Amino acid sequence: MLMLTHTYLLQQVIAASGIRQADPDIYIYNIAPDLLTIHPDIQAGQTHSIDRFIVAPDEHRRTAYIMFHLLVDDLAHYGKISLTCEEGFNPHSAGYTYLKGRRLIGSLLELHKIIGRDISYNEAAYRSHLIIEMIYDLIIRLHIHADRSMEVLEEAIHFTLERRRSQFCDDIAWLYGIEKDAAADVLKNAVSYITRERMERIMNIEGRIRLFTEKFGLRNDNVLFAETIAGLFRDALSSIEDEDFLQETAATIRNAGWLPTL
C-alpha cells in the first residue's frame, strides 16, 4: 500500500491501543521501507527483505513501526504474515492487492500494445497490484481527510528531521546496515516530497495515472491510450466496494503479537 494508507491504518491502531500522545516520528518509521528508496543507492528489496518480528533492543524500539509497515505489506502482497520475508515473485499470489488486481491484467496487456510495448503476464500482474495500491488511497480518502493523515505525515517529517534525525539514522543503520549519511539525506529530501499540497494534488484518478505512467515510462500523447488507461483506473476503483482490508489487517497484526512502542 502507499504511504497515506499506511499512515491512516497506523493512526487507527494507535487510537485503538489507547495511546493518547505519541511523537509524530512514528509515522516516518512506518513509511521508512518505501521512503528510503528515494535514495538512488537504496532499493526496495533491501528495505523489505528482512525477517519479521526482529526483537529490537530498547534503544532501537521505534523500529517496531517499520515492522508494522512490513506486516501490512505482507498481507497486501501475500495474504498472510510470514516470520521471514517471502522470496521470489508469485503473480498468482493470494494477497489482497493481487486478488483485486487480477481482473485488470488482460486490460493492462492490451493497454501496452496500444503504444507498441509488450510486457509479460508476470509484469502485468505486478503492475495490476500497484494500481490497486494507488487506488486504495482514493477509496479511503474521506477517512484520510477526516483524520488529517496528510497533515500528520507532513508534521512528522519535519519533526523527525529537526528533532529525531540522529536517532532515526542510528535505527536505520542498526536495522538495515544503511549508512547514516544516506538516511539523513533521505530525511532532508523528503521534506520537499512529503507536503500536504503535493499529496492533495495527486489525490484523484488523474494524479494516480500520472504516478503510474511516470513510474513505468509510459507518458505519451496517444489519445486511445489516455482513454484506455482512464477506463482501467475507473474499473479498478469500482472493483473495491469496501474497506475490509483495513479492519482485517489491523486484527491480524494485533493477533500476531505486534504492539506499539513509545
Side-chain angles (χ1 to χ4, degrees), residues 126 130 134 209-219:
Y126 173 78
L130 189 58
M134 289 180 172
I209 290 174
R210 282 199 306 274
L211 284 179
F212 184 83
T213 55
E214 288 172 3
K215 178 176 178 63
F216 295 110
L218 298 175
R219 294 191 68 175

Side-chain angles (χ1 to χ4, degrees), residues 97-135:
T97 54
Y98 282 90
L99 291 175
K100 289 292 185 180
R102 199 154 292 156
R103 62 181 287 181
L104 308 175
I105 292 176
S107 298
L108 266 173
L109 292 169
E110 293 301 317
L111 174 74
H112 287 75
K113 288 180 181 178
I114 292 172
I115 55 172
R117 298 272 193 94
D118 285 326
I119 59 171
S120 67
Y121 179 92
N122 283 11
E123 181 61 23
Y126 173 78
R127 296 186 186 192
S128 72
H129 108 276
L130 189 58
I131 290 175
I132 298 300
E133 291 192 346
M134 289 180 172
I135 287 297

